Amino acid sequence: MLAVVLLVSGTVACDGPEPSAGPGAPAEENGIVSLINERRAQAGCPALTADERLTAAARRHAADMRDRGVRDHTGSDGSTAQRRIADAGFTPATETGEILYWSEGAADAGAAVAAWMDSPAHRDVIGTCRFTHAGAGVVTPGYAAVVDFAAH
């Protein structure tokens, strides 16, 4: 299990299909955003508003992680987090961030958020109070989770 972080800004557009999240994914995605909002409250940050455009961007990258073995913020097509976010229609984002989690075996929202909170860099992204919106994307089998954050 690995997780990495990148905090980026700016937007560009690209084309790409929206992947299917798979059975059970919406509940997992909502669970991730809820758990992140609990951690943000503990840090004194306002709750994030779940946004379907950010969810679509996150699902796109989670599917790329699962289907093509991507283990980075750059997609197999060369896309960046801000490019995927803009492509999903979330513009103009003044600031964006992305966190990744993957596991070859069983995992869930609690495991992903716990791993992110154990990492100072990931915890910093989650606790960035300037972010106003988020979308989580989860794909299985295996378990790949991406959360995209943005501020207007």
Side-chain angles (χ1 to χ4, degrees):
M1 160 176 45
L2 298 171
V4 293
V5 67
L6 176 65
L7 200 55
V8 293
S9 62
T11 58
V12 296
C14 75
D15 295 320
E18 181 177 336
S20 170
E28 279 293 305
E29 293 164 348
N30 292 335
I32 286 173
V33 174
S34 292
L35 289 170
I36 285 174
N37 276 333
E38 287 176 16
R39 300 320 185 276
R40 286 174 59 85
Q42 293 168 1
C45 294
L48 296 161
T49 300
D51 187 279
E52 284 301 317
R53 297 164 296 180
L54 294 174
T55 298
R59 281 182 186 158
R60 174 180 165 187
H61 197 53
D64 203 21
M65 290 170 59
R66 179 196 61 199
D67 298 343
R68 293 175 193 83
V70 172
R71 297 295 185 256
D72 189 74
H73 294 278
T74 302
S76 62
D77 62 356
S79 65
T80 62
Q82 63 269 61
R83 185 171 163 190
R84 292 184 294 272
I85 289 168
D87 185 48
F90 195 98
T91 57
T94 58
E95 186 173 7
T96 62
E98 180 173 82
I99 55 178
L100 312 176
Y101 174 92
W102 62 88
S103 173
E104 298 299 325
D108 61 18
V113 174
W116 290 324
M117 293 306 293
D118 284 342
S119 163
H122 293 86
R123 193 170 46 248
D124 286 349
V125 172
I126 289 168
T128 298
C129 294
R130 294 180 309 276
F131 290 135
T132 56
H133 295 77
V138 173
V139 296
T140 58
Y143 192 91
V146 175
V147 182
D148 284 329
F149 299 85
H152 275 289

